[in-house]
Amino acid sequence: MPSTLSPTLAGRRLSTADRLPGPPADRVLAPPPWRLWLAAGFLAVLALLALAAPDLARAEPRNPGTESSVRRSIEPAMLVLFNRDIVELRGSLGGLEPAKRAERARTRFNRLTGEELASPVALRPASLDEGSGYAVLAGERHLFTVLQSDLDPEERLSLREAAERARRHVQDATDARRAQGAPLLWLKGLAVVLGSLLLFSLGLAVVWRLRTWLLARAQLADPGLATYLRVGALRLAALLLWPTLLTLVWALVVATLAAFPWTQPWGDRLTDFVRQLGGWLVAGTLGAIPGLVTIALVLLVARIVHDLLRHALEQVQSGRVQVPLLHAETVGATRRLLAVLVWGVAAAIAYPYLPGSDSDAFKGLSVLFGLMLTLGSTGVVTQLMSGLVIVYSRSLKSGDFIAVNGVEGVVREVGALAVKVVNMRNEEITLPHSVITANAIHNYSKLSGQQGTLVSTKVTIGYDTPWRQVHAMLVNAASRTPGVRTQPPPFVYQRALSDFYVEYELFAHIDKPLERVPILSAIHAAIQDEFNTYGVQIMSPHFYEQPAQALVVAREKWFDAPARPPNRGPSDGS
């Protein structure tokens, strides 16, 4: 369930002084969000659609094997007047089928005048070719006739009793139609609707505030085994507020429908439907209580185990506890794997106790989910397994400066499927785990602990320059560069003796791997200054004749425009 706490509760952990028994006195109750009103409206629409349930229930499914016999039989028709069920007509009269008889009765009822509506509904015995019956009259207007063939054998009512029941129903319909035209009734109905909306709004606000308070109390509970039951009870109480919301919606709809005679039968149908549905839910819930209790216990144990493992791994990550084969860099992935394992085992244990778990619907969903995982998980599993290789090999972590497959930058995030790297141009590059595991990873931050990270640069100098002088100049240039460590000191290797020059490589230790590029730039500048100071050219061309003089930059031209000299003292050669 998503958290509905206020920004203060969601943004920080409250102090002990903030943990009051109820909401703070200065906190103003915000109105329920529009999502809750939308949910209430959706539930109201569902309630109105449920009005058709009794009518749909009357339609019995046909057996395809007996379709011919059904066509030969007479289908009964319910006579409905002013949205009220009057009587179910089953027999024919004068060659008219029950549906046609009901249609004619509705036409006659709609043509009743005000005087006829005010007259009492009466019964009159009738003797017809189809047998005896009772004619139902509104005033002097004949509406329909109840025949002996209209009786339901299962009800075991006499013709007089069935006709009297139909008369009472017609009397109720005529009274409702007459009352519907009264202006005073419309005003009363409108007042009832407005009052119901007001009470519904107040009830919705109370439910929202109570739910917010319950979730806030659950959020403020200190971690520990003693508080799990209390937190579970608070969250369960917050969950039970949703049936309260359904009850409010039902009461609003029923009160609105009952305010007007035309819609009053709909309210009665909705009440009967909810009553039947509630009885079914109560019976099903009572039967499922043992399984639900087992599921609750399984989930509670799983939550306790999950929290204990999380607390232990946090101790390892902070360095307060040392566990063999478990490192701080792999704690996050280990915590996620253990969480999936714990809750997966809990779901497998609790599944057989779910109500309806042995039904065909649950079996169909299981097949569907299995098919989806089979078809769509190949690439995902590959990335997940590659991610586990990266995490547990401790190749990189967030904040490291790395180079992979030509991409060089700082690791911003190690996700479940990919690694996000930000390069020197402030571009975010996403590298899938499979790409990283298939290429060499250069991690410039991994070993930057006691000795710092090594950086290197190469330079080629002719054989006419003493190599000892070159070594000294390179070491001096690196030692004067900001960001380069003095211990261990920089050092130089001669990497190759080529045909025209010697290839030297300077190595230096730095403390900030993330500043590797700017430090290398500063080293290159210092090398140029150092070689220019001692008149040694860094140019190593393939030429036919040695130049008469060394190709160096004169000291007085070092800072020609637009270059600006740094603020250095006379001791450093400026």
Side-chain angles (χ1 to χ4, degrees), residues 13 71 108 160 178 264 319 339 343 383 393 411 487:
R13 185 73 172 178
R71 290 179 179 176
R108 294 166 184 166
R160 175 67 185 184
R178 186 176 69 255
Q264 181 182 355
W343 290 111
Q383 299 298 336
S393 64
V411 177
Q487 292 296 330

Side-chain angles (χ1 to χ4, degrees), residues 207-475:
V207 169
W208 178 257
R209 177 159 187 164
L210 183 58
R211 180 174 180 270
T212 302
W213 182 83
L214 290 173
L215 292 177
R217 297 296 299 171
Q219 182 72 18
L220 294 176
D222 295 328
L225 184 61
T227 60
Y228 283 127
L229 293 177
R230 184 165 60 89
V231 172
L234 290 173
R235 294 188 179 275
L236 180 61
L239 184 63
L240 291 179
L241 290 178
W242 286 103
T244 305
L245 176 62
L246 291 175
T247 304
L248 291 176
V249 173
W250 170 77
L252 172 65
V253 174
V254 170
T256 302
L257 295 177
F260 304 96
W262 170 260
T263 57
Q264 181 182 355
W266 293 352
D268 297 337
R269 293 180 187 177
L270 180 59
T271 302
D272 294 338
F273 173 76
V274 171
R275 185 183 299 112
Q276 295 175 2
L277 180 63
W280 176 76
L281 290 176
V282 170
T285 302
L286 293 177
I289 283 179
L292 294 177
V293 171
T294 304
I295 293 173
L297 292 176
V298 170
L299 296 180
L300 179 61
V301 172
R303 178 62 182 271
I304 294 174
V305 173
H306 174 264
D307 287 350
L308 291 177
L309 291 175
R310 177 175 57 84
H311 180 69
L313 292 175
E314 287 177 354
Q315 299 297 318
V316 175
Q317 190 172 21
S318 63
R320 290 189 290 268
V321 177
Q322 300 293 331
V323 177
L325 303 179
L326 187 59
H327 305 277
E329 298 89 345
T330 61
V331 167
T334 304
R335 181 170 59 246
R336 290 191 291 268
L337 290 176
L338 291 178
V340 172
L341 178 62
V342 169
W343 290 111
V345 172
I349 296 175
Y351 178 81
Y353 298 97
L354 288 174
S357 59
D358 56 345
S359 63
D360 293 336
F362 269 78
K363 296 177 182 178
L365 288 177
S366 301
V367 173
L368 176 62
F369 289 147
L371 182 62
M372 292 172 59
L373 290 175
T374 302
L375 297 179
S377 63
T378 304
V380 176
V381 170
T382 301
Q383 299 298 336
L384 290 174
M385 297 305 296
S386 300
L388 293 179
V389 172
I390 294 173
V391 172
Y392 283 97
S393 64
R394 295 183 294 161
S395 302
L396 52 86
K397 64 179 184 301
S398 180
D400 285 353
F401 190 89
I402 65 170
V404 179
N405 197 28
V407 177
E408 190 175 81
V410 180
V411 177
R412 182 175 183 177
E413 177 186 350
V414 181
L417 302 176
V419 174
K420 296 184 183 297
V421 178
V422 179
N423 61 11
M424 299 303 298
R425 292 184 293 273
N426 200 29
E427 300 170 345
E428 184 179 84
I429 302 173
T430 301
L431 297 174
H433 288 162
S434 59
V435 173
I436 296 179
T437 54
N439 294 273
I441 304 174
H442 299 270
N443 193 330
Y444 301 106
S445 305
K446 181 71 173 179
L447 302 178
S448 60
Q450 297 179 353
Q451 295 185 349
T453 301
L454 272 177
V455 295
S456 66
T457 184
K458 296 179 181 180
V459 64
T460 56
I461 306 298
Y463 284 96
D464 55 341
T465 303
W467 63 266
R468 295 178 181 83
Q469 182 185 18
V470 175
H471 282 214
M473 288 188 295
L474 291 175
V475 170

